[in-house]
Short mmCIF file of all heavy atoms in Angstrom, two decimals:
data_model
loop_
_atom_site.label_atom_id
_atom_site.label_comp_id
_atom_site.label_asym_id
_atom_site.label_seq_id
_atom_site.Cartn_x
_atom_site.Cartn_y
_atom_site.Cartn_z
N PRO A 1 58.84 146.13 126.06
CA PRO A 1 59.67 145.56 125.03
C PRO A 1 60.97 145.05 125.56
O PRO A 1 61.49 145.63 126.53
CB PRO A 1 59.91 146.77 124.06
CG PRO A 1 58.71 147.65 124.31
CD PRO A 1 58.41 147.51 125.77
N TYR A 2 61.52 143.96 125.02
CA TYR A 2 62.67 143.33 125.60
C TYR A 2 63.90 144.29 125.60
O TYR A 2 64.69 144.27 126.52
CB TYR A 2 63.06 142.09 124.76
CG TYR A 2 64.25 141.32 125.29
CD1 TYR A 2 64.04 140.42 126.31
CD2 TYR A 2 65.48 141.49 124.78
CE1 TYR A 2 65.12 139.72 126.85
CE2 TYR A 2 66.57 140.78 125.33
CZ TYR A 2 66.41 139.88 126.32
OH TYR A 2 67.43 139.17 126.80
N ASP A 3 64.03 145.11 124.59
CA ASP A 3 65.21 145.98 124.54
C ASP A 3 65.09 147.09 125.59
O ASP A 3 66.10 147.83 125.82
CB ASP A 3 65.43 146.62 123.16
CG ASP A 3 64.23 147.41 122.69
OD1 ASP A 3 63.24 147.57 123.46
OD2 ASP A 3 64.24 147.86 121.54
N THR A 4 63.96 147.23 126.25
CA THR A 4 63.79 148.18 127.34
C THR A 4 63.95 147.52 128.71
O THR A 4 64.48 148.07 129.58
CB THR A 4 62.39 148.83 127.24
OG1 THR A 4 62.23 149.52 125.98
CG2 THR A 4 62.21 149.84 128.40
N ASN A 5 63.38 146.30 128.77
CA ASN A 5 63.43 145.59 130.06
C ASN A 5 63.49 144.07 129.84
O ASN A 5 62.54 143.51 129.36
CB ASN A 5 62.14 145.93 130.86
CG ASN A 5 62.19 145.43 132.31
OD1 ASN A 5 62.59 144.34 132.56
ND2 ASN A 5 61.74 146.29 133.24
N ARG A 6 64.63 143.55 130.05
CA ARG A 6 64.85 142.07 129.73
C ARG A 6 63.82 141.17 130.39
O ARG A 6 63.30 140.29 129.75
CB ARG A 6 66.26 141.65 130.16
CG ARG A 6 67.37 141.92 129.19
CD ARG A 6 68.67 141.30 129.76
NE ARG A 6 69.80 141.31 128.82
CZ ARG A 6 70.94 140.81 129.02
NH1 ARG A 6 71.17 140.18 130.16
NH2 ARG A 6 71.86 140.86 128.15
N GLU A 7 63.63 141.38 131.71
CA GLU A 7 62.77 140.49 132.46
C GLU A 7 61.32 140.61 132.06
O GLU A 7 60.56 139.62 131.89
CB GLU A 7 62.92 140.73 133.94
CG GLU A 7 62.20 139.70 134.78
CD GLU A 7 62.55 139.67 136.23
OE1 GLU A 7 63.61 140.26 136.60
OE2 GLU A 7 61.81 139.11 137.05
N MET A 8 60.89 141.84 131.80
CA MET A 8 59.48 142.04 131.45
C MET A 8 59.15 141.82 130.01
O MET A 8 57.98 141.75 129.60
CB MET A 8 59.13 143.50 131.78
CG MET A 8 59.08 143.83 133.26
SD MET A 8 57.75 142.98 134.13
CE MET A 8 56.31 143.74 133.40
N GLY A 9 60.17 141.60 129.19
CA GLY A 9 59.92 141.40 127.75
C GLY A 9 60.35 140.04 127.23
O GLY A 9 60.41 139.86 126.03
N SER A 10 60.63 139.09 128.14
CA SER A 10 61.06 137.76 127.70
C SER A 10 60.08 136.69 128.06
O SER A 10 59.28 136.86 129.00
CB SER A 10 62.46 137.49 128.31
OG SER A 10 62.37 137.49 129.70
N PHE A 11 60.15 135.58 127.41
CA PHE A 11 59.34 134.43 127.70
C PHE A 11 60.02 133.14 127.17
O PHE A 11 60.94 133.23 126.35
CB PHE A 11 57.92 134.58 127.08
CG PHE A 11 57.92 134.73 125.63
CD1 PHE A 11 57.95 133.62 124.75
CD2 PHE A 11 57.93 136.01 125.03
CE1 PHE A 11 57.89 133.80 123.40
CE2 PHE A 11 57.91 136.20 123.62
CZ PHE A 11 57.93 135.05 122.83
N ILE A 12 59.56 132.04 127.70
CA ILE A 12 59.98 130.76 127.10
C ILE A 12 58.72 130.04 126.58
O ILE A 12 57.56 130.39 127.00
CB ILE A 12 60.71 129.87 128.16
CG1 ILE A 12 59.74 129.50 129.30
CG2 ILE A 12 61.91 130.50 128.64
CD1 ILE A 12 60.34 128.47 130.26
N ILE A 13 58.92 129.12 125.68
CA ILE A 13 57.83 128.34 124.99
C ILE A 13 58.00 126.94 125.43
O ILE A 13 59.09 126.33 125.39
CB ILE A 13 57.90 128.50 123.50
CG1 ILE A 13 57.90 130.01 123.13
CG2 ILE A 13 56.71 127.82 122.88
CD1 ILE A 13 58.14 130.22 121.62
N ILE A 14 56.90 126.30 125.85
CA ILE A 14 56.90 124.97 126.43
C ILE A 14 55.98 124.07 125.61
O ILE A 14 54.84 124.46 125.25
CB ILE A 14 56.47 124.95 127.91
CG1 ILE A 14 57.38 125.83 128.74
CG2 ILE A 14 56.41 123.51 128.47
CD1 ILE A 14 56.95 126.06 130.16
N ASP A 15 56.45 122.92 125.26
CA ASP A 15 55.64 121.95 124.51
C ASP A 15 54.58 121.37 125.48
O ASP A 15 54.88 120.93 126.60
CB ASP A 15 56.49 120.79 124.01
CG ASP A 15 55.68 119.78 123.17
OD1 ASP A 15 55.04 118.89 123.72
OD2 ASP A 15 55.72 119.97 121.92
N ARG A 16 53.36 121.35 125.07
CA ARG A 16 52.25 120.97 125.96
C ARG A 16 52.18 119.50 126.21
O ARG A 16 51.62 119.04 127.21
CB ARG A 16 50.92 121.45 125.36
CG ARG A 16 50.86 122.93 125.13
CD ARG A 16 49.46 123.40 124.68
NE ARG A 16 48.47 123.17 125.73
CZ ARG A 16 47.23 123.69 125.67
NH1 ARG A 16 46.95 124.49 124.66
NH2 ARG A 16 46.39 123.44 126.64
N MET A 17 52.77 118.73 125.32
CA MET A 17 52.68 117.25 125.47
C MET A 17 53.85 116.71 126.30
O MET A 17 53.74 115.79 127.14
CB MET A 17 52.69 116.58 124.10
CG MET A 17 51.61 117.02 123.21
SD MET A 17 49.95 116.69 123.84
CE MET A 17 49.90 114.91 123.79
N THR A 18 55.05 117.34 126.15
CA THR A 18 56.24 116.80 126.78
C THR A 18 56.69 117.66 128.00
O THR A 18 57.49 117.23 128.81
CB THR A 18 57.44 116.70 125.80
OG1 THR A 18 57.78 118.00 125.34
CG2 THR A 18 57.04 115.84 124.61
N ASN A 19 56.18 118.90 128.06
CA ASN A 19 56.63 119.90 129.03
C ASN A 19 58.12 120.31 128.86
O ASN A 19 58.68 120.86 129.77
CB ASN A 19 56.42 119.40 130.46
CG ASN A 19 54.95 119.45 130.87
OD1 ASN A 19 54.23 120.41 130.47
ND2 ASN A 19 54.52 118.50 131.64
N ASN A 20 58.64 120.03 127.67
CA ASN A 20 60.02 120.49 127.40
C ASN A 20 60.01 121.95 126.98
O ASN A 20 59.08 122.39 126.31
CB ASN A 20 60.63 119.65 126.30
CG ASN A 20 60.93 118.21 126.68
OD1 ASN A 20 61.14 117.91 127.90
ND2 ASN A 20 60.94 117.27 125.73
N THR A 21 61.05 122.66 127.35
CA THR A 21 61.27 124.02 126.86
C THR A 21 61.72 123.94 125.42
O THR A 21 62.76 123.31 125.14
CB THR A 21 62.25 124.82 127.69
OG1 THR A 21 61.73 124.92 129.02
CG2 THR A 21 62.48 126.21 127.18
N VAL A 22 60.99 124.54 124.53
CA VAL A 22 61.26 124.35 123.05
C VAL A 22 61.69 125.67 122.38
O VAL A 22 62.16 125.65 121.27
CB VAL A 22 60.10 123.76 122.33
CG1 VAL A 22 59.85 122.31 122.78
CG2 VAL A 22 58.83 124.60 122.51
N GLY A 23 61.58 126.79 123.10
CA GLY A 23 61.97 128.06 122.49
C GLY A 23 62.06 129.17 123.47
O GLY A 23 61.53 129.05 124.60
N VAL A 24 62.77 130.22 123.12
CA VAL A 24 62.79 131.44 123.95
C VAL A 24 62.44 132.65 123.05
O VAL A 24 62.61 132.58 121.84
CB VAL A 24 64.18 131.68 124.58
CG1 VAL A 24 64.55 130.59 125.50
CG2 VAL A 24 65.28 131.81 123.47
N GLY A 25 61.80 133.64 123.63
CA GLY A 25 61.30 134.73 122.84
C GLY A 25 61.60 136.09 123.49
O GLY A 25 61.62 136.21 124.74
N MET A 26 61.63 137.07 122.66
CA MET A 26 61.81 138.44 123.09
C MET A 26 60.75 139.32 122.42
O MET A 26 60.62 139.39 121.20
CB MET A 26 63.20 138.97 122.68
CG MET A 26 64.37 138.34 123.41
SD MET A 26 64.74 136.63 122.94
CE MET A 26 65.25 136.79 121.24
N ILE A 27 59.91 140.00 123.25
CA ILE A 27 58.80 140.78 122.75
C ILE A 27 59.35 142.11 122.19
O ILE A 27 60.11 142.83 122.80
CB ILE A 27 57.80 141.10 123.83
CG1 ILE A 27 57.17 139.74 124.34
CG2 ILE A 27 56.70 141.99 123.38
CD1 ILE A 27 56.27 139.93 125.55
N ASP A 28 58.86 142.42 120.92
CA ASP A 28 59.17 143.71 120.33
C ASP A 28 58.06 144.74 120.66
O ASP A 28 58.35 145.81 121.08
CB ASP A 28 59.35 143.51 118.84
CG ASP A 28 60.59 142.78 118.42
OD1 ASP A 28 61.55 142.87 119.20
OD2 ASP A 28 60.60 142.13 117.38
N PHE A 29 56.86 144.39 120.34
CA PHE A 29 55.74 145.36 120.57
C PHE A 29 54.44 144.59 120.54
O PHE A 29 54.33 143.45 119.99
CB PHE A 29 55.76 146.49 119.56
CG PHE A 29 55.79 146.05 118.12
CD1 PHE A 29 54.67 145.65 117.44
CD2 PHE A 29 57.00 146.02 117.40
CE1 PHE A 29 54.65 145.27 116.11
CE2 PHE A 29 57.07 145.58 116.08
CZ PHE A 29 55.90 145.19 115.44
N ALA A 30 53.35 145.23 121.05
CA ALA A 30 52.03 144.68 120.96
C ALA A 30 51.47 144.95 119.60
O ALA A 30 51.69 146.02 119.02
CB ALA A 30 51.14 145.26 122.08
N LEU A 31 50.69 144.04 119.09
CA LEU A 31 50.05 144.28 117.83
C LEU A 31 48.84 145.21 118.08
O LEU A 31 48.11 145.08 119.05
CB LEU A 31 49.53 142.96 117.21
CG LEU A 31 50.65 141.95 116.91
CD1 LEU A 31 50.04 140.63 116.38
CD2 LEU A 31 51.65 142.48 115.91
N ARG A 32 48.61 146.14 117.17
CA ARG A 32 47.55 147.14 117.38
C ARG A 32 46.14 146.49 117.52
O ARG A 32 45.31 146.93 118.28
CB ARG A 32 47.50 148.09 116.20
CG ARG A 32 48.72 149.04 116.19
CD ARG A 32 48.70 149.96 114.96
NE ARG A 32 47.44 150.67 114.82
CZ ARG A 32 47.12 151.37 113.73
NH1 ARG A 32 47.95 151.40 112.72
NH2 ARG A 32 45.99 152.01 113.72
N ARG A 33 45.95 145.35 116.77
CA ARG A 33 44.66 144.77 116.86
C ARG A 33 44.36 144.23 118.23
O ARG A 33 43.20 143.98 118.56
CB ARG A 33 44.53 143.67 115.79
CG ARG A 33 45.52 142.48 115.96
CD ARG A 33 45.11 141.40 114.99
NE ARG A 33 46.00 140.26 115.04
CZ ARG A 33 47.06 140.00 114.28
NH1 ARG A 33 47.39 140.90 113.34
NH2 ARG A 33 47.80 138.91 114.43
N ALA A 34 45.40 143.98 119.03
CA ALA A 34 45.22 143.40 120.34
C ALA A 34 44.37 144.40 121.24
O ALA A 34 43.64 143.96 122.08
CB ALA A 34 46.57 143.18 121.06
N SER A 35 44.51 145.64 121.02
CA SER A 35 43.72 146.63 121.84
C SER A 35 42.61 147.27 121.04
O SER A 35 41.71 147.91 121.61
CB SER A 35 44.69 147.75 122.31
OG SER A 35 45.38 148.37 121.20
N ASN A 36 42.53 147.11 119.79
CA ASN A 36 41.51 147.72 118.92
C ASN A 36 40.37 146.81 118.58
O ASN A 36 39.30 147.25 118.13
CB ASN A 36 42.12 148.23 117.61
CG ASN A 36 43.15 149.32 117.86
OD1 ASN A 36 43.17 149.90 118.90
ND2 ASN A 36 43.97 149.62 116.81
N ILE A 37 40.54 145.50 118.81
CA ILE A 37 39.48 144.54 118.44
C ILE A 37 38.96 143.88 119.69
O ILE A 37 39.66 143.36 120.52
CB ILE A 37 40.03 143.49 117.45
CG1 ILE A 37 40.49 144.14 116.21
CG2 ILE A 37 38.94 142.41 117.16
CD1 ILE A 37 41.11 143.20 115.18
N HIS A 38 37.62 143.85 119.82
CA HIS A 38 36.97 143.30 121.01
C HIS A 38 35.81 142.41 120.53
O HIS A 38 35.19 142.61 119.48
CB HIS A 38 36.39 144.43 121.90
CG HIS A 38 37.41 145.41 122.27
ND1 HIS A 38 38.23 145.25 123.40
CD2 HIS A 38 37.74 146.64 121.73
CE1 HIS A 38 39.04 146.28 123.51
NE2 HIS A 38 38.73 147.16 122.49
N TRP A 39 35.56 141.40 121.30
CA TRP A 39 34.44 140.45 120.98
C TRP A 39 33.14 141.25 121.20
O TRP A 39 32.84 141.75 122.28
CB TRP A 39 34.49 139.18 121.86
CG TRP A 39 33.47 138.20 121.48
CD1 TRP A 39 32.22 138.08 121.99
CD2 TRP A 39 33.54 137.23 120.44
NE1 TRP A 39 31.51 137.05 121.37
CE2 TRP A 39 32.31 136.52 120.39
CE3 TRP A 39 34.56 136.88 119.51
CZ2 TRP A 39 32.10 135.47 119.54
CZ3 TRP A 39 34.30 135.87 118.66
CH2 TRP A 39 33.09 135.21 118.65
N GLN A 40 32.26 141.25 120.20
CA GLN A 40 30.95 141.94 120.29
C GLN A 40 29.93 141.04 120.83
O GLN A 40 29.61 139.99 120.32
CB GLN A 40 30.54 142.46 118.84
CG GLN A 40 29.28 143.22 118.88
CD GLN A 40 29.40 144.54 119.59
OE1 GLN A 40 30.36 145.31 119.41
NE2 GLN A 40 28.47 144.76 120.56
N ALA A 41 29.42 141.42 122.00
CA ALA A 41 28.38 140.65 122.61
C ALA A 41 27.02 140.85 121.86
O ALA A 41 26.71 141.97 121.45
CB ALA A 41 28.19 141.08 124.10
N MET A 42 26.27 139.75 121.71
CA MET A 42 24.99 139.76 121.03
C MET A 42 23.84 139.39 121.98
O MET A 42 24.11 138.60 122.90
CB MET A 42 25.00 138.82 119.81
CG MET A 42 26.04 139.14 118.76
SD MET A 42 25.71 140.74 117.99
CE MET A 42 27.11 140.82 116.79
#
């Protein structure tokens, strides 16, 4: 999380068409579904 570690919790956002930096972000926490949901192979 950003409030714990600035470098490990920060990111920038880049526009894919222009390659301009369009935003900066600070991570608060991972969403629970990120670790609880998996693609089910058939």
Side-chain angles (χ1 to χ4, degrees):
Y2 183 83
D3 59 4
T4 301
N5 191 315
R6 275 185 172 184
E7 186 167 345
M8 292 292 294
S10 60
F11 59 87
I12 63 173
I13 307 174
I14 300 170
D15 184 277
R16 302 185 64 165
M17 304 300 293
T18 64
N19 285 323
N20 291 333
T21 298
V22 294
V24 296
M26 292 72 67
I27 297 174
D28 288 333
F29 52 82
L31 300 178
R32 289 176 56 189
R33 62 173 180 263
S35 57
N36 295 343
I37 298 178
H38 306 275
W39 186 266
Q40 181 65 48
M42 299 295 180

